[in-house]
Amino acid sequence: MRVLVIGSGAREHALLLALSKDPQVTGLVIAPGNAGTARLAEQRNVDITNADEVVALARDVSADLVVIGPEVPLVLGVADAVRAAGLVCFGPSKAAARIEGSKAFAKEIMAAAGVRTARSEIVDNPARLDEALDRFGPPAGDPAWVVKDDHLAAGKGVVVTPDREAARSHAAGLLDTGHPVLLESFLDGPEVSLFCVVDGETVVPLLPAQDFKRVGEGDTGPNTGGMGAYAPLPWLPDDVYREVVSQIVEPVAAEMVRQSSPFSGLLYVGLAITAKGPAVVEFNCRFGDPETQAVLALLESPLGQLLYAAGAGKLAEFGELRWRDGAAVTVVVAAENYPGRPRVGDTVIGSEASGVLHAGTARRDDGAIVSSGGRVLSVVGTGADLVEARAQAYDILRSIKLAGSHFRTDIAQRAAEGKISV
């Protein structure tokens, strides 16, 4: 089986690494890829948002399976074009990808499926903003305002703040660009990321993970695309995990079938484990980054066969997944000034070590690897438990040099110390 992976981040590097271990995968191609993925797959250049280019490339490389990593081509309907060309594709249709592309659509699905989520309100007119803000945040009893861009924002469109002016400024800025704003009530409790491979009403859950969105230590500073993650979650009871699958993911998958938008691909549910039980923070229509790097490091089942089964409508025949014992921790190395406009073009030393996955990297004409984006590397450590996995990840980090770079030193620390509970 020849597999074409679409994307260029550490998520796609992790996918390639896992796919390379599947005995049925005989060839790997990635478009456009990065400096690290070149060691695992043939690299091809393509506009990943152009459906015709992706289909042409898939045919040119004789792909038996096309795996679309990022959300943008999915929301634009690239998976539809791949399937229309008679190819097997892992990734939802444009209609199903709305569960990430429109938070309002996701709320409608959850309401119809009877799924617990935050109280919310869409604001699409600046004249209604102040009145709507009064219904959320501290005056309404919440500890903070939660303001979200209703459209895709690469993980950076959310502001959670006790400062009304900061909430208003973010919302007003979004409205000025023509984007509706979603105001939500605050959900307390630790957050969980659960990936589920979905084929219509068939749901196969992966290990739960937790990511770290804030740029600074102790969850401070602005939101990012993710500064680290770990899996599994020793503090999450099995009965809560099963409840999420049976009371949230399966009803949502069934509702999407009922609404003629069946989901086929990776459904990512972001949760808060509140005092009243699990509640949905958001849905995404693809593997999350950086959680994928930790989760796939522990997967023993053949990933290519799993994704092919889902794309071919045969997921129900696949069976249960197998996992390595132990834990995995991912720490993201970010460029100077990230999540603002990052500094790029700096030489990266130590990026070819085992456990290092590339994201924003490129190879210069002289052969040197240089930074080319905000999140430059993901460093993955594994071990018998989170203590060992953290130690390995941070040990690898000591050998990496990138001018002006930064990373969080507290990824998975509270969980490793037993300080998180439901």
Side-chain angles (χ1 to χ4, degrees), residues 212-224 227 339 408 410:
F212 296 77
K213 288 293 186 189
R214 302 278 190 165
V215 71
E217 307 283 315
D219 294 324
T220 58
N223 272 354
T224 70
M227 293 299 293
R408 284 183 55 168
D410 61 347

Side-chain angles (χ1 to χ4, degrees), residues 212-346:
F212 296 77
K213 288 293 186 189
R214 302 278 190 165
V215 71
E217 307 283 315
D219 294 324
T220 58
N223 272 354
T224 70
M227 293 299 293
Y230 67 94
L233 309 182
W235 49 267
L236 183 70
D238 285 344
D239 60 336
V240 176
Y241 171 78
R242 289 192 295 269
E243 180 185 351
V244 170
V245 176
S246 64
Q247 301 300 314
I248 293 176
V249 186
E250 290 177 348
V252 164
E255 180 59 28
M256 295 191 75
V257 170
R258 193 187 71 79
Q259 293 200 19
S260 301
S261 301
F263 196 97
S264 174
L266 196 290
L267 186 60
Y268 164 152
V269 53
L271 303 148
I273 310 302
T274 74
K276 296 180 180 179
V280 176
V281 175
E282 64 179 2
F283 278 105
N284 293 324
C285 64
R286 39 68 194 183
F287 281 100
D289 183 345
E291 300 100 319
T292 299
Q293 292 88 295
V295 171
L296 292 187
L298 300 173
L299 180 67
E300 285 194 340
S301 295
L303 181 65
Q305 295 170 55
L306 172 65
L307 304 188
Y308 187 92
K314 298 179 180 179
L315 183 61
E317 303 171 13
F318 189 81
E320 292 188 8
L321 301 183
R322 302 188 309 276
W323 299 94
R324 287 176 51 187
D325 291 334
V329 172
T330 301
V331 182
V332 170
V333 178
E336 183 176 348
N337 199 44
Y338 180 79
R341 184 175 181 178
R343 182 172 125 176
V344 298
D346 290 310

Side-chain angles (χ1 to χ4, degrees), residues 113 117 122 124 144 157 192 213 249 295 327 360 388 394 400:
T117 186
I122 289 285
D124 56 9
V192 173
K213 288 293 186 189
V249 186
V295 171
E388 286 190 11
Y394 285 108
I400 294 173

Side-chain angles (χ1 to χ4, degrees), residues 12 26 51 55 133 142 182 207 246 266 327 337 413:
E12 286 75 33
T26 56
V55 169
L133 284 169
D142 289 331
L182 184 77
L207 289 179
S246 64
L266 196 290
N337 199 44
Q413 182 174 355

Side-chain angles (χ1 to χ4, degrees), residues 4 44 46 50-62 82 85 87:
L4 168 62
R44 300 289 288 269
V46 70
N50 186 311
D52 292 339
E53 287 191 24
V54 173
V55 169
L57 175 60
R59 286 174 168 158
D60 185 54
V61 301
S62 302
V82 173
L87 302 168

Side-chain angles (χ1 to χ4, degrees), residues 178-220:
H179 284 198
V181 169
L182 184 77
L183 300 181
E184 284 190 340
S185 58
F186 181 84
L187 294 174
D188 66 328
E191 293 196 0
V192 173
S193 298
L194 181 63
F195 300 162
C196 295
V197 178
V198 176
D199 168 19
E201 294 193 38
T202 303
V203 174
V204 175
L206 278 63
L207 289 179
Q210 185 177 64
D211 77 333
F212 296 77
K213 288 293 186 189
R214 302 278 190 165
V215 71
E217 307 283 315
D219 294 324
T220 58

Side-chain angles (χ1 to χ4, degrees), residues 12-90:
E12 286 75 33
H13 195 165
L15 286 167
L16 286 177
L17 190 61
L19 287 165
S20 70
K21 298 173 183 176
D22 186 329
Q24 287 195 14
V25 174
T26 56
L28 288 169
V29 183
I30 186 165
N34 57 49
T37 59
R39 289 180 289 164
L40 291 168
E42 176 188 348
Q43 306 239 126
R44 300 289 288 269
N45 194 27
V46 70
D47 178 357
I48 66 173
T49 66
N50 186 311
D52 292 339
E53 287 191 24
V54 173
V55 169
L57 175 60
R59 286 174 168 158
D60 185 54
V61 301
S62 302
D64 300 294
L65 170 66
V66 178
V67 179
I68 301 177
E71 63 273 21
V72 173
L74 294 169
V75 170
L76 292 175
V78 172
D80 301 80
V82 173
R83 290 194 184 92
L87 302 168
V88 177
C89 183
F90 184 81

